Amino acid sequence: MKSLRVGLGDRAYDILIAQNMLADIGRYLKEAGFAKRYFVVADSNVAEIYGEDMLASLRAAGYSPQLLTFPAGEESKNLALMGQLASRLARLGMDRNDALLALGGGVTGDLTGFLAASYMRGVSFVQVPTSLLAQVDSSVGGKTGVDIPEGKNLIGAFYQPRAVFIDSTVLKTLPAAELLNGLAEVIKYGVIYDRDFFDFLAERRLDILDLERSAIEKLVESCCAIKAAVVEADEREADLRRILNFGHTIGHAVEADSDFKLAHGSAVAIGMAAACRLAVLRGGFAASEAQRVIRLISDFGLPVSVPAAAEIKHLRGYLLSDKKTVGGRVFFVLPTAIGKVEISADIDPALLDQVLCS
Ligand code: NAD
Ligand code: GLY
């Protein structure tokens, strides 16, 4: 088992990574003593595949857990569903000595984390991420929240889990399209932070796509280590944490323009390729390096071109309404080398239009 620490003072926590660890999580929780009872929250898909195993693990450790489920999908990440879950917890008698356990992808983690931040003004929660995206990104760092009709993740809180348990064997049941969503974020880490990790992704691409054990373990561990380092340096996204938005600025615009029909990972992939092209046009990034990044994204089976149907004026509008845009200034995370980025709002609109057409 690998153990990483997210060093956040009195909110520090461990990320434990091991194969087939679901059965042992109850025991770890017993030893840690975070709570008297656990309420497991899972979406309908994950509850069906792993709900009973999770409950069995908790029961074997002497707990009497409850499972709360909700319909799978981003549509469930809303205030109404959160209210329903809170009512169910209150009726089940959950109190401040109890904790929530988020078993699932990023939707479950974000929703359960925000419920934990709000229920009785804050109860403990732990993350058991089951999608690749959740294992390498959303379960670590304490961003929790829900969507409202006016925008995704517009209501939420920074609220750290007490622990994160990552069992990468559960990825074998993850649909291929969901694996790709996570891989876009994985490539992001290599480009923004770690050239060696980027090289590893290029070398072990086929093993990664096959979910070969050692490749996936290294991948998950490296991503969590990078995310932990970034969050430790800047928990509330005042500065460094903004680099995690690489690919997400233009990505969100193309995703919104597609009326969210384009998968998030595809949108981020297009956004990363566009940011690379923009960085080259500005003169701060070698064309050969940009080509390597774009080739890797494409080799993993992700798109690298803005959809032909997208209109520039609409994309510009989405860029200006993005929640990362401040006072009309759109911030871009741009590579300067593979493994290094800078943040700039000083972009020539003509160059931006050029990359939005490519
Ligand atoms: P998701 O939670 O909807 O999971 C994707 C699908 O995979 C769902 O249908 C789910 O039921 C299924 N699934 C998950 N694990 C499975 C498994 N092991 N086997 C079979 N099916 C499985 O979506 P996601 O891509 O995991 O997360 C996306 C969400 O994460 C978005 O809401 C996004 O805003 C959020 N997010 C949050 C952060 C953060 O820092 N908090 C970062 C990135 C994304
Ligand atoms: N996924 C972006 C962040 O956690 O900051």
Side-chain angles (χ1 to χ4, degrees):
M1 186 181 40
K2 296 275 165 42
S3 172
L4 300 168
R5 186 89 175 146
V6 186
L8 290 171
D10 60 358
R11 284 161 295 104
Y13 54 98
D14 290 326
I15 305 169
L16 301 176
I17 305 169
Q19 302 274 314
N20 297 308
M21 76 155 7
L22 227 50
D24 299 321
I25 292 175
R27 189 165 46 79
Y28 289 124
L29 289 174
K30 199 72 183 177
E31 277 165 23
F34 298 136
K36 285 215 167 93
R37 279 193 299 175
Y38 280 90
F39 292 84
V40 177
V41 181
D43 75 20
S44 43
N45 297 334
V46 173
E48 189 172 331
I49 312 174
Y50 299 109
E52 201 38 60
D53 289 350
M54 191 69 248
L55 294 178
S57 171
L58 290 162
R59 284 191 196 111
Y63 292 109
S64 302
Q66 298 276 348
L67 175 64
L68 287 77
T69 64
F70 65 89
E74 184 74 30
E75 309 72 45
S76 286
K77 212 177 104 174
N78 62 53
L79 286 169
L81 192 106
M82 191 175 136
Q84 287 167 24
L85 290 172
S87 293
R88 283 163 67 191
L89 292 174
R91 285 198 294 270
L92 289 165
M94 181 178 183
D95 66 32
R96 285 207 175 110
N97 294 318
D98 303 329
L100 297 177
L101 184 154
L103 174 70
V107 165
T108 304
D110 283 12
L111 177 68
T112 308
F114 190 38
L115 182 58
S118 320
Y119 186 78
M120 294 190 163
R121 300 198 178 85
V123 293
S124 294
F125 87 113
V126 297
Q127 292 266 20
V128 183
T130 62
S131 69
L132 180 64
L133 182 138
Q135 296 194 345
V136 299
D137 187 355
S138 62
S139 64
V140 175
K143 278 192 182 176
T144 71
V146 294
D147 306 330
I148 57 174
E150 289 72 19
K152 281 181 70 173
N153 299 319
L154 277 191
I155 310 269
F158 286 99
Y159 195 68
Q160 302 293 341
R162 301 294 299 274
V164 181
F165 299 95
I166 304 182
D167 177 355
S168 50
T169 47
V170 303
L171 298 177
K172 65 183 183 296
T173 56
L174 189 69
E178 299 300 343
L179 191 73
L180 271 187
N181 271 332
L183 283 170
E185 306 290 349
V186 168
I187 296 168
K188 175 186 83 177
Y189 287 118
V191 181
I192 63 173
Y193 206 83
D194 189 338
R195 190 181 185 95
D196 289 344
F197 180 59
F198 182 92
D199 292 341
F200 158 81
L201 294 176
E203 278 156 27
R204 303 289 302 274
R205 179 175 57 86
L206 296 177
D207 291 334
I208 292 166
L209 287 168
D210 274 352
L211 298 180
E212 192 274 326
R213 180 184 170 146
S214 68
I216 288 292
E217 268 181 4
K218 175 168 163 64
L219 177 151
V220 170
E221 193 191 332
S222 301
C223 293
C224 286
I226 296 170
K227 178 114 191 215
V230 171
V231 168
E232 278 175 9
D234 176 24
E235 183 183 8
R236 292 187 167 242
E237 200 170 305
D239 185 20
L240 180 71
R241 190 165 178 166
R242 296 192 297 161
I243 68 173
L244 298 174
N245 295 325
F246 173 57
H248 288 62
T249 310
I250 293 174
H252 278 160
V254 292
E255 191 180 13
D257 188 61
S258 76
D259 213 9
F260 294 93
K261 290 189 179 65
L262 190 67
H264 179 69
S266 298
V268 170
I270 292 167
M272 291 192 293
C276 286
R277 292 188 187 103
L278 189 55
V280 173
L281 287 174
R282 288 181 84 226
F285 188 37
S288 56
E289 295 268 282
Q291 271 319 313
R292 270 199 81 200
V293 177
I294 293 169
R295 196 176 325 116
L296 185 71
I297 297 170
S298 174
D299 284 349
F300 267 108
L302 285 156
V304 291
S305 303
V306 175
E311 281 190 40
I312 289 193
K313 68 172 188 294
H314 292 161
L315 295 177
R316 274 203 226 107
Y318 285 117
L319 285 174
L320 285 170
S321 64
D322 192 288
K323 68 174 180 298
K324 299 183 291 297
T325 296
V326 183
R329 299 181 80 211
V330 186
F331 289 86
F332 291 90
V333 181
L334 300 174
T336 53
I338 293 175
K340 282 202 173 59
V341 286
E342 63 179 2
I343 297 178
S344 176
D346 170 30
I347 299 295
D348 177 345
L351 295 187
L352 182 57
D353 284 359
Q354 210 175 318
V355 300
L356 292 178
C357 291
S358 57

